[in-house]
């Protein structure tokens, strides 16, 4: 059997570890990238500060060709880093702009034509002696620094940001690759670690599943399975295992005590019922014999003897019912033979009509005979109890309809009346023992309170079920019995082709 919740717990633990590791890797990577970018940018600012405005100032003089290096620093490229940008602005307009390019033997200047956007970006650089990053369309991204010139102009010197960006991008690539491999390895190792750590929980789940499959309701009280004990008990999972095993021990002890109590109660009920049958029959026999006395008997004595005979008969029926329930509880086997359920229903409705002439009885049967495999006497008792329940707990004039339908493997018997219905509070305990109705369905009606509990027990012994649905004007008891492949009948879902109605 699958245990999806445990699998979900493993997945969550593994995902949580991966998320935490990913957050940590991302934090380290971002911090490293920012730190490297800041460090290299500071290095560029330091180089710009050391270079100053000498190179930019040399651009306002001629002599910017390859061989015009006369030492007067007018357009002199000596001591300038390759890619250095020099710009001179007057009133926001660029008068000179050049970039140092490498040559075969030395460096030389290349005049740069800046666009209007580049000019505006350079003109916006403050002359504060600090580095600023600008995006230029022609030479590229630069880190520039501006100084005021001697004749009212602005001198700007810049170094390319491409080396900085390349180093940062390379760090990002390396960090992403390393962290990706680390996450993959951590994911595999974390999944194995979590699976290993949660092995006791897997064992507990397996033990609980095995116990849930035990037939505890049928009297099985031994719980042989236990979660494997782990030592030392140093983790919460180990403590859960220990607590689970202790709980199973308590449950087993409680089930054992309950089973012993039920067995004693069942044995007492069976013994008491068996022992009471003889004295109750004796009391009833003596009362009936006294009523047959030929001499004069006072009316009061006659009435008392009649009551003794009636109550002893009622007590005898109750003793028989208790004995039957005790035998069913003990698992006594019932007869297993073909039973003509159609004939049983005809006889049961005929008996009910004779016992309750004030009710309107209706019987709906399929055209073909319906048979099941079971105990004919007990099945007849089920039908008699259901019809007696409808007769005793509904007022005269109530219509009671008994129906029979058959499918390939199931037989359904329904008993429906249009009486006042069953109160909801009573409906929940209707099939328990010694339950009497005290609502609109009229007191105990002379019943023992065991009829419906016998119906449930006998139906369960045949592998069937009994249910009830009730509302004012419509109460239906539904009995479902397995056919066990015996007999033939109408298929379920088809309406009865012939009915007997009264």
């Amino acid at each position: 059997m699958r245990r999806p919740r445990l699998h979900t717990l493993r997945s969550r633990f593994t995902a949580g570890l991966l998320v935490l590791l990913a957050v940590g890797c991302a934090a380290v990577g971002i911090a490293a990238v920012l730190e490297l970018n800041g460090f290299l940018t500071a290095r560029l600012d330091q180089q710009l500060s050391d270079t100053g405005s000498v190179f930019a100032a040399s651009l306002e003089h001629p002599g910017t060709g390859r061989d015009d290096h006369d030492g007067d620093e007018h357009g002199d490229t000596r001591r300038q880093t390759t890619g250095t940008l020099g710009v001179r602005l007057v009133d926001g307009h660029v008068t000179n702009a050049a970039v140092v390019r490498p040559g075969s033997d030395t460096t030389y200047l290349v005049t740069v034509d800046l666009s209007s956007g580049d000019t505006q970006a350079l003109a916006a650089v403050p002359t504060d002696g600090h580095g600023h990053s600008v995006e230029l369309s022609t030479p590229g991204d630069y880190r520039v620094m501006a100084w005021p010139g001697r004749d009212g102009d602005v001198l700007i010197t810049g170094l390319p940001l491409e080396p900085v960006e390349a180093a940062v991008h390379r760090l990002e690539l390396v960090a992403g690759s390393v962290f990706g491999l680390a996450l993959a390895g951590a994911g595999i190792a974390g999944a194995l670690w979590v699976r290993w750590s949660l092995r006791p929980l897997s064992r507990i789940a397996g033990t609980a599943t095995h116990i849930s499959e035990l037939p505890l309701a049928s009297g099985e009280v031994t719980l042989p399975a236990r979660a494997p004990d782990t030592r030392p008990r140093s983790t919460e999972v180990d403590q859960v295992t220990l607590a689970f095993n202790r709980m199973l021990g308590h449950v087993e002890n409680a089930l054992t005590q309950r089973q012993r109590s039920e067995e004693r109660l069942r044995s007492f009920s069976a013994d008491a019922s068996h022992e009471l049958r003889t004295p109750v029959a004796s009391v009833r026999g003596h009362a009936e014999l006294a009523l047959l006395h030929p001499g004069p008997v006072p009316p009061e004595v006659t009435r008392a003897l009649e009551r003794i005979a009636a109550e002893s008969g009622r007590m005898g029926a109750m003793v028989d019912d208790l004995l039957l329930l005790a035998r069913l509880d003990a698992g006594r086997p019932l007869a297993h033979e073909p039973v003509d359920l159609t004939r049983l229903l005809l006889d049961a409705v005929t008996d009910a009509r004779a016992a309750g002439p004030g009710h309107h009885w209706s019987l709906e049967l399929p055209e073909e005979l319906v048979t099941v495999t079971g105990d004919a006497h007990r099945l007849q008792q089920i039908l008699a109890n259901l019809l007696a329940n409808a007769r005793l707990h509904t007022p005269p004039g109530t219509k009671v309809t008994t129906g029979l339908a058959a499918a390939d493997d199931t037989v359904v018997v329904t008993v429906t009346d249009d009486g006042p219905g069953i109160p909801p509070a009573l409906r929940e305990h209707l099939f328990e023992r010694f339950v009497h109705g005290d609502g609109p369905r009229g007191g105990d009606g002379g019943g023992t309170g065991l009829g419906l509990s016998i119906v449930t027990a006998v139906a369960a012994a045949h592998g069937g079920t009994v249910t009830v649905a009730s509302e004012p004007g419509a109460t239906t008891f539904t009995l479902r019995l397995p056919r066990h492949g015996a007999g033939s009948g109408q298929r379920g879902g088809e309406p009865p082709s012939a009915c007997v109605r009264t």
Side-chain angles (χ1 to χ4, degrees):
M1 181 179 294
R2 295 182 301 173
R3 297 183 287 273
R5 292 188 177 181
L6 186 57
H7 293 169
T8 301
L9 186 61
R10 292 173 180 170
S11 301
R12 288 179 178 177
F13 279 174
T14 305
L17 291 174
L18 289 178
V19 168
L20 291 177
L21 183 58
V23 170
C25 292
V28 172
I30 292 174
V33 168
L34 294 177
E35 179 63 24
L36 178 62
N37 185 75
F39 173 76
L40 296 179
T41 302
R43 289 282 301 272
L44 289 181
D45 292 344
Q46 183 63 40
Q47 293 180 27
L48 291 174
S49 178
D50 294 341
T51 302
S53 61
V54 175
F55 173 63
S58 69
L59 296 178
E60 61 180 312
H61 300 282
T64 59
R66 178 186 295 268
D67 301 325
D68 295 335
H69 302 300
D70 52 5
D72 60 359
E73 296 185 353
H74 295 165
D76 193 356
T77 62
R78 290 173 295 179
R79 298 183 301 277
Q80 301 300 325
T81 303
T82 301
T84 303
L85 171 68
V87 180
R88 178 174 178 270
L89 294 93
V90 177
D91 297 331
H93 298 283
V94 176
T95 60
N96 301 91
V99 176
V100 177
R101 297 299 184 189
S104 57
D105 298 326
T106 182
T107 57
Y108 63 95
L109 293 179
V110 176
T111 302
V112 179
D113 294 328
L114 300 175
S115 63
S116 58
D118 296 341
T119 301
Q120 294 177 0
L122 292 172
V125 176
T127 57
D128 54 1
H130 295 288
H132 301 275
S133 298
V134 294
E135 296 181 2
L136 304 177
S137 59
T138 302
D141 297 341
Y142 266 79
R143 187 73 175 179
V144 298
M145 192 175 292
W147 293 270
R150 291 176 295 180
D151 49 0
D153 54 358
V154 176
L155 304 177
I156 296 177
T157 304
L159 290 173
L161 286 172
E162 190 275 335
V164 175
E165 295 174 349
V168 171
H169 291 329
R170 184 172 182 80
L171 176 61
E172 292 174 347
L173 179 61
V174 172
S177 302
V178 172
F179 290 156
L181 294 176
L183 284 176
I188 297 174
L192 296 177
W193 177 77
V194 169
R195 186 179 182 86
W196 178 82
S197 300
L198 296 181
R199 281 189 305 172
L201 291 183
S202 300
R203 295 167 181 167
I204 291 176
T207 302
T209 301
H210 175 65
I211 292 176
S212 67
E213 296 172 349
L214 295 177
L216 301 180
S218 62
E220 175 67 39
V221 297
T222 303
L223 304 179
R226 291 292 189 275
D229 194 5
T230 55
R231 297 177 185 275
R233 303 182 182 93
S234 57
T235 66
E236 290 80 0
V237 175
D238 298 335
Q239 295 174 7
V240 169
T241 303
L242 179 61
F244 180 75
N245 288 336
R246 288 179 177 175
M247 181 192 70
L248 291 183
H250 290 307
V251 171
E252 183 176 6
N253 292 334
L255 289 175
T256 301
Q257 295 297 328
R258 188 194 69 176
Q259 182 67 14
R260 290 176 180 174
S261 177
E262 289 183 354
E263 289 177 354
R264 287 194 297 267
L265 181 60
R266 188 181 300 119
S267 176
F268 169 78
S269 178
D271 294 341
S273 301
H274 181 75
E275 294 298 329
L276 284 174
R277 296 177 72 183
T278 300
V280 168
S282 178
V283 169
R284 183 178 180 182
H286 283 292
E288 292 177 350
L289 180 62
L291 288 173
L292 296 176
H293 189 275
V297 179
E300 294 82 3
V301 175
T302 301
R303 176 62 179 167
L305 290 175
E306 290 176 348
R307 292 303 304 154
I308 291 174
E311 290 302 319
S312 61
R314 183 171 180 267
M315 184 178 294
M318 183 183 298
V319 168
D320 291 339
D321 290 344
L322 286 174
L323 184 58
L324 173 62
L325 288 173
R327 289 174 175 174
L328 291 175
D329 290 341
R332 296 282 185 89
L334 300 178
H336 194 74
E337 58 188 8
V339 178
D340 186 350
L341 197 59
T342 302
R343 173 56 58 183
L344 291 184
L345 272 177
L346 285 170
D347 294 341
V349 173
T350 300
D351 296 341
R353 183 182 295 111
H359 288 67
H360 300 289
W361 302 93
S362 176
L363 180 60
E364 298 179 353
L365 296 175
E367 189 175 61
E368 298 180 356
L369 295 180
V370 177
T371 61
V372 297
T373 301
D375 191 315
H377 178 66
R378 298 310 174 194
L379 291 177
Q380 183 181 16
Q381 191 171 10
I382 286 183
L383 301 177
N385 286 359
L386 289 176
L387 293 174
N389 177 77
R391 172 175 56 84
L392 295 174
H393 299 292
T394 57
T398 301
K399 181 180 180 180
V400 181
T401 302
T402 304
L404 175 62
D408 290 337
D409 55 357
T410 304
V411 174
V412 179
V413 178
T414 58
V415 178
T416 304
D417 66 74
D418 57 0
I422 303 174
L426 178 63
R427 203 179 306 158
E428 299 178 359
H429 310 282
L430 193 61
F431 295 101
E432 297 178 3
R433 300 175 185 182
F434 298 106
V435 174
H436 297 272
D438 56 359
R441 291 177 74 90
D444 60 10
T448 62
L450 296 174
L452 293 180
S453 60
I454 290 177
V455 170
T456 303
V458 174
H462 284 81
T465 60
V466 179
T467 58
V468 62
S470 179
E471 60 182 17
T475 298
T476 301
F477 286 86
T478 303
L479 168 66
R480 289 182 173 84
L481 295 173
R483 298 189 62 174
H484 300 296
S488 61
Q490 186 176 345
R491 294 183 179 275
E494 299 177 0
S497 57
C499 298
V500 179
R501 296 183 181 271
T502 303

